[in-house]
Amino acid sequence: MAAARSRTAELKVMAGASAARPPASSPSSPPPPPPPPQLLLLLLALLLAAAATAAEQQVPLVLWSSSRDLWVPLENAHEGHITTDGQLASYLDPALEKGPRNVLLFLQEKLSIEDFTTYGGVFGNKQDSAFSNLENTLDLAPSSLILPSVDWYAASTLTSYLKEKLGASPLHVDQATLRELKLNDSLPALLLLRLPYTTSSGLMAPKEVLTGNDEIIGQVMNTLKAEGVPYTAILTAVQPSRVIRDLSSMVSGGLGRHLLGENEDFKPEPSPSLPLPPVSYNDTEPRILFWAQNFTVTYNNELRDLTALTFGNPALNLSSSSWNSSFAQLAMTYENVFGSFLTIKLILNNRLYPVSARSWFTMDRLEIHVNNSVVVFNSSHITAPSIYSFHCEYVSTERSKNSLLVALPGSSAWHVTFQDFQIQAFNLSGGNFSYASDCASFFSPGIWMGLVSSLIMLFIFTYGLHMILNLKTMDRFDDHKGSTLSVPLTE
């Protein structure tokens, strides 16, 4: 990161020098006028937007170890280089083979290289850095490696890769349980410690969370150092935070208005977060795909948001899931949610219907297993041809959201809601969803209103046309050459 900052400074100096150099074609001509500040601001905003687009699929990855000479300095490293999964494996393989067998993975919910440049005190105010413990740890570590930009896919499969290399399942730990563990270098251990992040649009909220995460890292490192346990530590994220998007909106809006002399208040709009990847159950190949934009479970008016714990979470426990050509079960197990363990099961069946001469899949039920009890919701309305996926804007137990999940007796205390729900368990192609069969009927309320209004207008037009066609002209007229037409009146 220091090299990146020095290169950036060199580029700025070079840009300033080239801007100050007069044109070579006409030495005696007066220098051109400087570009207006509006143009400079526009160019700056475009550069920031381009950088954000290029960085939105990458996360940083930091490695350090208590052993020496595990990583050699990066050769031919340049700004903008993205570390692929193959390159990441080439860095990790020597460390896992020659280094300690205790691997500690700090997995943050969101993190980008822009977090370090924004909150790391890189502009001379080191005392205000949100990563003081991490910086001190890297300075004292015998071996360390910083990868500013790692492909998001490579980072998302890191837990599975470490599990395969070490031959040990990931163990979720915190500061308290870490002190109780008896680690040694003879048995491999993969310790997973999740760090939170905030999605607030304010600039101070992310810094406070990053500072808290840095303190956790410092306390964990002090614990390992006090016990003398050899280790290799990795810090990365589930998805990028894209802080640069917020900064670009501030520069193009708040800073631009300030330079242009406008005094009105400006509040940058929060950048939209990236969609999380779906849950994928695999055996020899992907078998079940499940995704939702939002996933919440409520028990006795206590609501828990399981979106971040479900989608894009490589540590999600799917061990109880199963699949064959006619039956599929997606079982997602969570720790310390409404009890020690909470398991959500989506049970689907694939059947051939002779009347339609095609196979249809149906999600028969949703089960909630917690505290040795089972809560069942009927979901037979979730159905589609087996070559398609099923999609619905809301799949919920609430009546206001069409209640596609029907509670059976004993389920009144539980409520489950999926927003933008999509699932497919059969005939997957390439690990992607097939064409979606939507739960919305063709004749929606809007279509019915349009049809009824059109029929009423058609009836009025037809009645009016009928009245016009039945008009009759007079068959007797006055003749100015003859006698006046008289109509006798009868009493």
Side-chain angles (χ1 to χ4, degrees), residues 70-90:
L70 292 184
W71 300 286
V72 296
L74 298 179
E75 296 182 359
N76 300 324
H78 57 85
E79 294 187 40
H81 174 71
I82 299 174
T83 304
T84 62
D85 52 349
Q87 293 172 338
L88 181 60
S90 66

PDB file of all heavy atoms in Angstrom, residues 70-90:
ATOM      1  N   LEU A  70       8.010 -17.051   4.627  1.00  0.00           N
ATOM      2  CA  LEU A  70       6.931 -17.799   3.992  1.00  0.00           C
ATOM      3  C   LEU A  70       6.556 -17.212   2.636  1.00  0.00           C
ATOM      4  O   LEU A  70       6.071 -17.936   1.762  1.00  0.00           O
ATOM      5  CB  LEU A  70       5.691 -17.818   4.900  1.00  0.00           C
ATOM      6  CG  LEU A  70       5.808 -18.614   6.204  1.00  0.00           C
ATOM      7  CD1 LEU A  70       4.482 -18.614   6.935  1.00  0.00           C
ATOM      8  CD2 LEU A  70       6.260 -20.046   5.921  1.00  0.00           C
ATOM      9  N   TRP A  71       6.753 -15.923   2.463  1.00  0.00           N
ATOM     10  CA  TRP A  71       6.388 -15.285   1.205  1.00  0.00           C
ATOM     11  C   TRP A  71       7.554 -14.440   0.722  1.00  0.00           C
ATOM     12  O   TRP A  71       8.217 -13.755   1.517  1.00  0.00           O
ATOM     13  CB  TRP A  71       5.155 -14.391   1.371  1.00  0.00           C
ATOM     14  CG  TRP A  71       3.961 -15.142   1.835  1.00  0.00           C
ATOM     15  CD1 TRP A  71       3.191 -15.992   1.117  1.00  0.00           C
ATOM     16  CD2 TRP A  71       3.398 -15.124   3.160  1.00  0.00           C
ATOM     17  NE1 TRP A  71       2.178 -16.513   1.893  1.00  0.00           N
ATOM     18  CE2 TRP A  71       2.279 -15.997   3.155  1.00  0.00           C
ATOM     19  CE3 TRP A  71       3.726 -14.469   4.346  1.00  0.00           C
ATOM     20  CZ2 TRP A  71       1.498 -16.211   4.269  1.00  0.00           C
ATOM     21  CZ3 TRP A  71       2.939 -14.686   5.456  1.00  0.00           C
ATOM     22  CH2 TRP A  71       1.851 -15.543   5.423  1.00  0.00           C
ATOM     23  N   VAL A  72       7.779 -14.498  -0.555  1.00  0.00           N
ATOM     24  CA  VAL A  72       8.794 -13.637  -1.165  1.00  0.00           C
ATOM     25  C   VAL A  72       8.115 -12.366  -1.634  1.00  0.00           C
ATOM     26  O   VAL A  72       6.903 -12.345  -1.889  1.00  0.00           O
ATOM     27  CB  VAL A  72       9.466 -14.355  -2.352  1.00  0.00           C
ATOM     28  CG1 VAL A  72      10.224 -15.572  -1.858  1.00  0.00           C
ATOM     29  CG2 VAL A  72       8.431 -14.757  -3.401  1.00  0.00           C
ATOM     30  N   PRO A  73       8.837 -11.263  -1.734  1.00  0.00           N
ATOM     31  CA  PRO A  73       8.215 -10.022  -2.230  1.00  0.00           C
ATOM     32  C   PRO A  73       7.641 -10.225  -3.631  1.00  0.00           C
ATOM     33  O   PRO A  73       8.170 -10.976  -4.446  1.00  0.00           O
ATOM     34  CB  PRO A  73       9.384  -9.023  -2.237  1.00  0.00           C
ATOM     35  CG  PRO A  73      10.360  -9.581  -1.255  1.00  0.00           C
ATOM     36  CD  PRO A  73      10.248 -11.069  -1.338  1.00  0.00           C
ATOM     37  N   LEU A  74       6.520  -9.562  -3.899  1.00  0.00           N
ATOM     38  CA  LEU A  74       5.857  -9.687  -5.189  1.00  0.00           C
ATOM     39  C   LEU A  74       6.737  -9.114  -6.286  1.00  0.00           C
ATOM     40  O   LEU A  74       7.282  -8.011  -6.161  1.00  0.00           O
ATOM     41  CB  LEU A  74       4.511  -8.960  -5.170  1.00  0.00           C
ATOM     42  CG  LEU A  74       3.482  -9.486  -4.167  1.00  0.00           C
ATOM     43  CD1 LEU A  74       2.206  -8.659  -4.252  1.00  0.00           C
ATOM     44  CD2 LEU A  74       3.172 -10.943  -4.421  1.00  0.00           C
ATOM     45  N   GLU A  75       6.894  -9.886  -7.352  1.00  0.00           N
ATOM     46  CA  GLU A  75       7.684  -9.438  -8.485  1.00  0.00           C
ATOM     47  C   GLU A  75       6.771  -8.848  -9.551  1.00  0.00           C
ATOM     48  O   GLU A  75       5.685  -9.378  -9.810  1.00  0.00           O
ATOM     49  CB  GLU A  75       8.482 -10.609  -9.069  1.00  0.00           C
ATOM     50  CG  GLU A  75       9.509 -11.188  -8.103  1.00  0.00           C
ATOM     51  CD  GLU A  75      10.295 -12.314  -8.746  1.00  0.00           C
ATOM     52  OE1 GLU A  75      10.007 -12.625  -9.923  1.00  0.00           O
ATOM     53  OE2 GLU A  75      11.186 -12.865  -8.084  1.00  0.00           O
ATOM     54  N   ASN A  76       7.262  -7.784 -10.165  1.00  0.00           N
ATOM     55  CA  ASN A  76       6.536  -7.125 -11.254  1.00  0.00           C
ATOM     56  C   ASN A  76       5.123  -6.718 -10.836  1.00  0.00           C
ATOM     57  O   ASN A  76       4.175  -6.798 -11.613  1.00  0.00           O
ATOM     58  CB  ASN A  76       6.462  -8.035 -12.491  1.00  0.00           C
ATOM     59  CG  ASN A  76       7.842  -8.391 -13.008  1.00  0.00           C
ATOM     60  OD1 ASN A  76       8.758  -7.568 -12.956  1.00  0.00           O
ATOM     61  ND2 ASN A  76       8.004  -9.620 -13.489  1.00  0.00           N
ATOM     62  N   ALA A  77       4.962  -6.354  -9.552  1.00  0.00           N
ATOM     63  CA  ALA A  77       3.642  -5.911  -9.090  1.00  0.00           C
ATOM     64  C   ALA A  77       3.374  -4.509  -9.621  1.00  0.00           C
ATOM     65  O   ALA A  77       4.258  -3.658  -9.650  1.00  0.00           O
ATOM     66  CB  ALA A  77       3.592  -5.915  -7.565  1.00  0.00           C
ATOM     67  N   HIS A  78       2.182  -4.262 -10.052  1.00  0.00           N
ATOM     68  CA  HIS A  78       1.826  -2.952 -10.586  1.00  0.00           C
ATOM     69  C   HIS A  78       0.441  -2.586 -10.086  1.00  0.00           C
ATOM     70  O   HIS A  78      -0.345  -3.450  -9.658  1.00  0.00           O
ATOM     71  CB  HIS A  78       1.853  -2.960 -12.119  1.00  0.00           C
ATOM     72  CG  HIS A  78       0.941  -3.998 -12.726  1.00  0.00           C
ATOM     73  ND1 HIS A  78      -0.396  -3.781 -12.959  1.00  0.00           N
ATOM     74  CD2 HIS A  78       1.206  -5.272 -13.123  1.00  0.00           C
ATOM     75  CE1 HIS A  78      -0.937  -4.860 -13.483  1.00  0.00           C
ATOM     76  NE2 HIS A  78       0.001  -5.782 -13.597  1.00  0.00           N
ATOM     77  N   GLU A  79       0.151  -1.305 -10.128  1.00  0.00           N
ATOM     78  CA  GLU A  79      -1.152  -0.836  -9.667  1.00  0.00           C
ATOM     79  C   GLU A  79      -2.253  -1.361 -10.578  1.00  0.00           C
ATOM     80  O   GLU A  79      -2.106  -1.413 -11.796  1.00  0.00           O
ATOM     81  CB  GLU A  79      -1.177   0.691  -9.644  1.00  0.00           C
ATOM     82  CG  GLU A  79      -0.240   1.292  -8.618  1.00  0.00           C
ATOM     83  CD  GLU A  79      -0.424   2.784  -8.503  1.00  0.00           C
ATOM     84  OE1 GLU A  79      -1.575   3.227  -8.541  1.00  0.00           O
ATOM     85  OE2 GLU A  79       0.577   3.498  -8.400  1.00  0.00           O
ATOM     86  N   GLY A  80      -3.355  -1.762  -9.980  1.00  0.00           N
ATOM     87  CA  GLY A  80      -4.473  -2.284 -10.744  1.00  0.00           C
ATOM     88  C   GLY A  80      -4.418  -3.780 -10.963  1.00  0.00           C
ATOM     89  O   GLY A  80      -5.352  -4.342 -11.540  1.00  0.00           O
ATOM     90  N   HIS A  81      -3.322  -4.462 -10.523  1.00  0.00           N
ATOM     91  CA  HIS A  81      -3.235  -5.913 -10.709  1.00  0.00           C
ATOM     92  C   HIS A  81      -4.253  -6.603  -9.818  1.00  0.00           C
ATOM     93  O   HIS A  81      -4.392  -6.293  -8.633  1.00  0.00           O
ATOM     94  CB  HIS A  81      -1.831  -6.409 -10.375  1.00  0.00           C
ATOM     95  CG  HIS A  81      -1.715  -7.908 -10.415  1.00  0.00           C
ATOM     96  ND1 HIS A  81      -1.743  -8.632 -11.589  1.00  0.00           N
ATOM     97  CD2 HIS A  81      -1.591  -8.820  -9.409  1.00  0.00           C
ATOM     98  CE1 HIS A  81      -1.632  -9.909 -11.315  1.00  0.00           C
ATOM     99  NE2 HIS A  81      -1.530 -10.057  -9.996  1.00  0.00           N
ATOM    100  N   ILE A  82      -4.981  -7.569 -10.371  1.00  0.00           N
ATOM    101  CA  ILE A  82      -6.002  -8.325  -9.646  1.00  0.00           C
ATOM    102  C   ILE A  82      -5.485  -9.745  -9.453  1.00  0.00           C
ATOM    103  O   ILE A  82      -5.148 -10.430 -10.427  1.00  0.00           O
ATOM    104  CB  ILE A  82      -7.335  -8.330 -10.409  1.00  0.00           C
ATOM    105  CG1 ILE A  82      -7.855  -6.894 -10.577  1.00  0.00           C
ATOM    106  CG2 ILE A  82      -8.365  -9.187  -9.684  1.00  0.00           C
ATOM    107  CD1 ILE A  82      -9.094  -6.797 -11.435  1.00  0.00           C
ATOM    108  N   THR A  83      -5.410 -10.182  -8.217  1.00  0.00           N
ATOM    109  CA  THR A  83      -4.936 -11.529  -7.900  1.00  0.00           C
ATOM    110  C   THR A  83      -6.047 -12.536  -8.149  1.00  0.00           C
ATOM    111  O   THR A  83      -7.130 -12.436  -7.563  1.00  0.00           O
ATOM    112  CB  THR A  83      -4.481 -11.605  -6.432  1.00  0.00           C
ATOM    113  OG1 THR A  83      -3.478 -10.609  -6.201  1.00  0.00           O
ATOM    114  CG2 THR A  83      -3.911 -12.971  -6.110  1.00  0.00           C
ATOM    115  N   THR A  84      -5.795 -13.497  -9.011  1.00  0.00           N
ATOM    116  CA  THR A  84      -6.782 -14.521  -9.337  1.00  0.00           C
ATOM    117  C   THR A  84      -6.718 -15.659  -8.322  1.00  0.00           C
ATOM    118  O   THR A  84      -5.849 -15.687  -7.436  1.00  0.00           O
ATOM    119  CB  THR A  84      -6.543 -15.059 -10.750  1.00  0.00           C
ATOM    120  OG1 THR A  84      -5.234 -15.664 -10.809  1.00  0.00           O
ATOM    121  CG2 THR A  84      -6.609 -13.923 -11.777  1.00  0.00           C
ATOM    122  N   ASP A  85      -7.627 -16.634  -8.468  1.00  0.00           N
ATOM    123  CA  ASP A  85      -7.653 -17.758  -7.540  1.00  0.00           C
ATOM    124  C   ASP A  85      -6.397 -18.614  -7.673  1.00  0.00           C
ATOM    125  O   ASP A  85      -5.871 -19.117  -6.677  1.00  0.00           O
ATOM    126  CB  ASP A  85      -8.909 -18.595  -7.759  1.00  0.00           C
ATOM    127  CG  ASP A  85      -9.084 -18.996  -9.221  1.00  0.00           C
ATOM    128  OD1 ASP A  85      -8.356 -18.459 -10.070  1.00  0.00           O
ATOM    129  OD2 ASP A  85      -9.952 -19.826  -9.509  1.00  0.00           O
ATOM    130  N   GLY A  86      -5.873 -18.769  -8.915  1.00  0.00           N
ATOM    131  CA  GLY A  86      -4.640 -19.534  -9.080  1.00  0.00           C
ATOM    132  C   GLY A  86      -3.449 -18.864  -8.443  1.00  0.00           C
ATOM    133  O   GLY A  86      -2.611 -19.526  -7.801  1.00  0.00           O
ATOM    134  N   GLN A  87      -3.339 -17.545  -8.580  1.00  0.00           N
ATOM    135  CA  GLN A  87      -2.237 -16.823  -7.960  1.00  0.00           C
ATOM    136  C   GLN A  87      -2.354 -16.836  -6.442  1.00  0.00           C
ATOM    137  O   GLN A  87      -1.348 -16.962  -5.733  1.00  0.00           O
ATOM    138  CB  GLN A  87      -2.203 -15.390  -8.479  1.00  0.00           C
ATOM    139  CG  GLN A  87      -1.860 -15.278  -9.953  1.00  0.00           C
ATOM    140  CD  GLN A  87      -2.016 -13.869 -10.482  1.00  0.00           C
ATOM    141  OE1 GLN A  87      -2.737 -13.064  -9.901  1.00  0.00           O
ATOM    142  NE2 GLN A  87      -1.355 -13.569 -11.589  1.00  0.00           N
ATOM    143  N   LEU A  88      -3.582 -16.717  -5.943  1.00  0.00           N
ATOM    144  CA  LEU A  88      -3.770 -16.761  -4.490  1.00  0.00           C
ATOM    145  C   LEU A  88      -3.359 -18.122  -3.939  1.00  0.00           C
ATOM    146  O   LEU A  88      -2.737 -18.213  -2.868  1.00  0.00           O
ATOM    147  CB  LEU A  88      -5.231 -16.462  -4.146  1.00  0.00           C
ATOM    148  CG  LEU A  88      -5.592 -16.456  -2.659  1.00  0.00           C
ATOM    149  CD1 LEU A  88      -4.773 -15.407  -1.910  1.00  0.00           C
ATOM    150  CD2 LEU A  88      -7.080 -16.198  -2.475  1.00  0.00           C
ATOM    151  N   ALA A  89      -3.687 -19.204  -4.670  1.00  0.00           N
ATOM    152  CA  ALA A  89      -3.280 -20.538  -4.225  1.00  0.00           C
ATOM    153  C   ALA A  89      -1.759 -20.675  -4.220  1.00  0.00           C
ATOM    154  O   ALA A  89      -1.187 -21.327  -3.330  1.00  0.00           O
ATOM    155  CB  ALA A  89      -3.908 -21.598  -5.122  1.00  0.00           C
ATOM    156  N   SER A  90      -1.074 -20.043  -5.180  1.00  0.00           N
ATOM    157  CA  SER A  90       0.388 -20.122  -5.214  1.00  0.00           C
ATOM    158  C   SER A  90       1.022 -19.398  -4.019  1.00  0.00           C
ATOM    159  O   SER A  90       2.127 -19.746  -3.595  1.00  0.00           O
ATOM    160  CB  SER A  90       0.912 -19.524  -6.522  1.00  0.00           C
ATOM    161  OG  SER A  90       0.657 -18.118  -6.579  1.00  0.00           O
TER     162      SER A  90
END
